[in-house]
Amino acid sequence: MKKTLLLILVVAGSATASYAQIGFGVKAGYSIATIHADEGSNPITWSSQPAFHAGVLVSIPVVLGLSIQPEVLYSGQGGKFNSDGDPGNLKTALINVPIMIKYSIHGAFLETGPQFGFLASAKITTDGQTTDEKSNFQSTQLAWGVGLGYKLPLGLGIDARYNFALSKMAKSGSDFDAAASDAKNGVFQVGLFFVIGGKK
C-alpha cells in the first residue's frame, strides 16, 4: 500500500513539474504578404502589401533545448496586383494554426513546422470598389514556416518567420484561378511575443 501511494505521489509530482514548465503567451507583429502565380488568361503582376498578425501560443518543452509551440493567429495576407494597367489589391484574412518545432540555446532559437490556415475572408478592391471573393478561394490552406528569434529571461521576445505556401489559394476552375493560375501566398512576419511560465 505504501509503495502504491509513493508511486502515485511520484507520478503526480512529475506531472505537476511538467505542467509548470509549459508556457502560455501572446504575440503580434507586422507582415509582408505577396502572391506567386503563373500567368493565366490575363497577365497579372504582383507586389507585396503590408498586413498584421496577432494571436496566442503555448510553449511545450520536450527535451533539453527542444520544444513544440502551437499557435492560433489571425493573419492578414494577399497582395497588390496590376492587370493591364489597372491596379488593385487582394486582401485575405486567415485563422492560422502553426505548429512549430523550436530549438533554443541561451535565449536564441530556430523554428520550423507546418501551418494550417482557415480562410475567414477574401476581398478584391479595384477602381475603388470592393467585392467579396471568398467563394473563389480554398477554405483551408497549408504552409510551412521557418524562422528565428530571441527570448529574454523575463519572457519578452522577438521573432521573424517566413511562411511558404504548400497549397494554392484559389479553387480549381474559379475566376481567380483562371486569372492567376496556381497562385500561392508567401508571408514574411516579424513581431514581438510575451510568454508567461515555461522554462526561462
Side-chain angles (χ1 to χ4, degrees), residues 77-95:
Q77 299 182 188
K80 297 179 181 179
F81 63 85
N82 190 297
S83 177
D84 293 331
D86 295 324
N89 65 50
L90 165 64
K91 291 185 177 181
T92 61
L94 289 91
I95 304 301

Side-chain angles (χ1 to χ4, degrees), residues 63-144:
V63 295
L64 185 63
L66 191 66
S67 63
I68 297 175
Q69 183 169 295
E71 304 172 358
V72 179
L73 304 174
Y74 172 90
S75 179
Q77 299 182 188
K80 297 179 181 179
F81 63 85
N82 190 297
S83 177
D84 293 331
D86 295 324
N89 65 50
L90 165 64
K91 291 185 177 181
T92 61
L94 289 91
I95 304 301
N96 285 325
V97 183
I99 302 176
M100 307 303 290
I101 300 171
K102 301 179 63 173
Y103 179 74
S104 306
I105 181 168
H106 302 306
F109 62 84
L110 297 173
E111 61 181 8
T112 188
Q115 174 176 277
F116 306 92
F118 303 91
L119 185 65
S121 67
K123 297 180 180 180
I124 290 180
T125 301
T126 54
D127 297 325
Q129 300 293 320
T130 300
T131 58
D132 187 341
E133 299 289 338
K134 186 177 179 181
S135 62
N136 280 318
F137 291 86
Q138 302 282 359
S139 59
T140 58
Q141 298 175 23
L142 180 63
W144 192 273

Side-chain angles (χ1 to χ4, degrees), residues 168-197:
K168 68 179 188 178
M169 301 170 61
K171 292 180 180 178
S172 296
S174 67
D175 293 340
F176 188 83
D177 189 48
S181 178
D182 202 31
K184 296 178 180 179
N185 218 166
V187 184
F188 173 76
Q189 300 173 329
V190 60
L192 297 174
F193 63 86
F194 181 71
V195 178
I196 299 173

